[in-house]
Every structure is written in C-alpha cells, then in structure tokens.
Amino acid sequence: MPAINIPEFYRRLGEKQDAILDGLDSAHIDTLSKSLRKLERSVVSALQDAPVKGGVLWDTKWAIQFRKQLSEDFGKEYNPWAQKTVDGYNESAKGINSLFGKLNLDSDFTKVDKSAIKQLKQQYFHGFQDLGLKFVNEMADATYQSVLTGRKFEDLVVDLQQSINGVHIVTDESKDLVAFVDKYRDDPAKGEAVAEAIEKLHTQFAQDMVGQNLRRYSSQMVHDSLMQFNGTYTRHKAQEAGLDHYLYYGSLIKDSRSFCSNHVDKTYSTAEAEKIWSNQQWKGKSGTDPFIDRGGYRCIHHWVPVDPEHLAELNEEYPAH
C-alpha cells in the first residue's frame, strides 16, 4: 500500500460506513411508517364489521375470531416490511466487504459470505416477526376483554390504533406533525423543531408518541438490528482475515453516552474490548458483546477493522489507554 495518512484513511472508512448505515436506517424508518399506516387502516376497516350494540362490542365469538383477522393483517402489512428491511442488510454487507478491499487484503476475504448473511437476516427477521406476534396477541386480548367488561367500542378502536402507531390521528395537521417527527427524530439539527412538534401533539392534540406501541419498538429494532448485523458481520469477516484490532468509530452528538465519548476513536483488540464491555456499567447498556451491543440501545457507533501494520500510527493519534 502506498504511503497514506493512516488516521485520515480510517476516518474515511468510518465515514463511508456511517453513510451506508444512516441511509439504510432512514429508509427503513420511512417504510416502517408507511407500513404501520396501512396496518392501522386495515385493522380499523376490519372493526367496521364488529357486532356492536349500545356502543359496546357484545359477541365473544367474533372477538375470538378477530385474532385471526389481526394475524392476517400483520402478515399482509408488517411481515413483508420486516422481510424487505432485513433484505436491505445486503447493502451493509457489501459496504463491509468493500472496506476489507480497501485494506488490500486477499480477495478471498473480500467476497460476500452469502451463508452467514442469510442466517443473520433470518435471525433478525424472526425478531421483527416475534414483535408483531406480541402485538397481535395483546390487541386480540384487549378486544376479547372489552366484551367481558362492557367497555365502550369507540375507546377500544382508539386503543387498537394507538397500539400500532402510538397516535390517534384525527387532523391533517397532526398527521404532518407525526410525519415530521418520524423523519427527523434522530437529526440533531432538527432537535428543537422535533421537540416543538412533540409538545404540540401532547398539548393541542393530546397525543403521545412515547406509549407502549408497535411503532416505538419497531423503530428501535430497525436501528439496533441493523447495527447488530453490521457489527456481527464485521467481526465475522475480520476473524476470517485474521484481524484482531478495531477502531471504535462514530460521531458524538449532544446526548451521546459518556461511555461512547470515552471510547470513540480509540483502537482495541478483541480481548481488550470484551474486557471493557464485560466489566463496565453505563446507562443504556444492552449487553456485554462489544460488536453486537456497542454503546447500547440506539447507539450509532460501529467498529472498523484495523490492519496490524497501521496500529502504531493509529494508536499514536488515538491512544486507547
């Protein structure tokens, strides 16, 4: 490899990975929003045929059968979205293989490992699928219980809508506010505007984006599953190539965890990283595997493999200790 500025070289590698991950994350959140809107409409449409008397759902048999309808709606709208989302991880894998190519490694280490990718994608698809099933069961149980308790049907409808999206959308303005929050919730430059939009939803429209809903959990899973795939596949390819050192890379934002602030732009061996992740505690920690868990839930940092020949110069600029 010709003479290069090593720190700058690895910054470019990290930035390229950032761009790929940010693009996928944004695209998957956008398609999630569209999928959940369709799912909500399907559920509401199915409720139009509910047997209601005196404003109350009264038929337990219908309520029990409604579980099947919910399963069909999720199978039509949510599961295909989940499959398309994990299929998008192919772009992350291509980026990782391209990264190894820039390290001038043997070509065998820069080939896409289709078997590993397929298994990882299946694993994360099942995660989304299990989440969808959880909400099918909860929504079905709520429907059945409303018959037993004589709860107002209109309140049940609102609850089922909010179970999906966390918001009962009733006006064009509130729809626009929700779309704005969806699009810019993770953009530091839009932080103040997003906060104002959420405040307006909370006060003027009495709507809440923070409830226990499918949108909230799916949004977190969109990000974390992508980053976990990226970390797992990176580690897998690095092991194949015999690389054992990594640069912990990523931008720092206003609410970055102090743990990440302390470790970003530093290089660690696998053993060093595993020791740190196992022995330290911090708010938001999600596990002890540095390559899967990184800084914890919604962490934006990732690992860049390091050529052993570059370690000394990298450590000089970014000392790990």
Side-chain angles (χ1 to χ4, degrees), residues 269-285:
S269 68
T270 301
E272 288 170 335
E274 289 175 345
K275 183 177 180 180
I276 292 170
W277 263 253
S278 294
N279 295 336
Q280 295 187 20
Q281 298 296 324
W282 64 93
K283 185 177 181 180
K285 183 178 182 180

Side-chain angles (χ1 to χ4, degrees), residues 1 9-10 12-17 20 89-113 117 230 233-234 237-238 243 304-305:
M1 181 180 291
F9 172 73
Y10 280 91
R12 289 198 303 271
L13 292 183
E15 288 171 358
K16 179 66 174 178
Q17 286 295 98
I20 293 171
Y89 295 174
N90 289 342
E91 294 304 312
S92 171
K94 289 178 183 177
I96 293 168
N97 281 277
S98 175
L99 182 155
F100 278 91
K102 290 180 173 60
L103 291 174
N104 280 359
L105 298 172
D106 187 286
S107 61
D108 286 343
F109 300 128
T110 62
K111 293 179 180 177
V112 173
D113 190 331
I117 293 172
N230 180 269
Y233 188 66
T234 296
K237 296 302 291 184
L243 301 183
V304 178

Side-chain angles (χ1 to χ4, degrees), residues 42-239:
S42 295
V43 171
V44 171
S45 177
L47 289 168
Q48 301 304 308
D49 298 326
V52 178
K53 290 182 180 179
V56 174
L57 183 64
W58 62 271
D59 190 338
T60 55
K61 183 177 180 180
W62 186 94
I64 292 171
Q65 289 297 316
F66 188 58
R67 181 187 298 271
K68 180 180 178 182
Q69 180 63 51
L70 286 171
S71 295
E72 291 176 357
D73 288 339
F74 271 71
K76 179 182 177 181
E77 303 295 349
Y78 186 73
N79 290 351
W81 163 81
Q83 186 62 65
K84 187 175 181 179
T85 293
V86 299
D87 284 344
Y89 295 174
N90 289 342
E91 294 304 312
S92 171
K94 289 178 183 177
I96 293 168
N97 281 277
S98 175
L99 182 155
F100 278 91
K102 290 180 173 60
L103 291 174
N104 280 359
L105 298 172
D106 187 286
S107 61
D108 286 343
F109 300 128
T110 62
K111 293 179 180 177
V112 173
D113 190 331
K114 293 182 180 180
S115 177
I117 293 172
K118 181 180 179 180
Q119 291 176 15
L120 286 171
K121 285 165 53 178
Q122 187 175 42
Q123 171 188 331
Y124 291 115
F125 171 74
H126 287 321
F128 284 112
Q129 195 175 42
D130 289 345
L131 179 62
L133 179 59
K134 173 181 180 292
F135 275 87
V136 165
N137 290 333
E138 289 182 358
M139 293 167 68
D141 289 345
T143 303
Y144 181 74
Q145 290 165 11
S146 72
V147 178
L148 301 182
T149 60
R151 189 173 183 216
K152 288 184 180 179
F153 180 67
E154 62 183 30
D155 291 341
L156 171 66
V157 174
V158 170
D159 277 357
L160 294 184
Q161 288 181 278
Q162 291 180 334
S163 292
I164 297 171
N165 276 309
V167 179
H168 184 208
I169 300 171
V170 293
T171 71
D172 288 339
E173 184 180 3
S174 65
K175 290 180 182 180
D176 291 340
L177 288 170
V178 171
F180 181 82
V181 172
D182 282 342
K183 185 173 182 179
Y184 295 111
R185 67 168 63 237
D186 296 317
D187 184 347
K190 299 284 187 179
E192 185 175 346
V194 168
E196 290 177 357
I198 292 175
E199 177 66 17
K200 195 168 187 178
L201 285 169
H202 286 179
T203 54
Q204 182 173 329
F205 296 102
Q207 298 173 340
D208 188 6
M209 289 290 290
V210 189
Q212 308 297 313
N213 56 76
L214 182 61
R215 173 188 293 274
R216 177 189 179 189
Y217 290 112
S218 294
S219 296
Q220 179 174 310
M221 192 175 287
V222 161
H223 178 80
D224 288 344
S225 294
L226 171 62
M227 298 301 289
Q228 289 169 8
F229 171 89
N230 180 269
T232 302
Y233 188 66
T234 296
R235 174 65 179 137
H236 169 71
K237 296 302 291 184
Q239 285 180 308

Side-chain angles (χ1 to χ4, degrees), residues 232 235 273-274 277-278 285 287-294 303:
T232 302
R235 174 65 179 137
E274 289 175 345
W277 263 253
S278 294
K285 183 178 182 180
T288 60
D289 189 320
F291 299 97
I292 295 176
D293 304 306
R294 299 153 294 104
W303 295 95

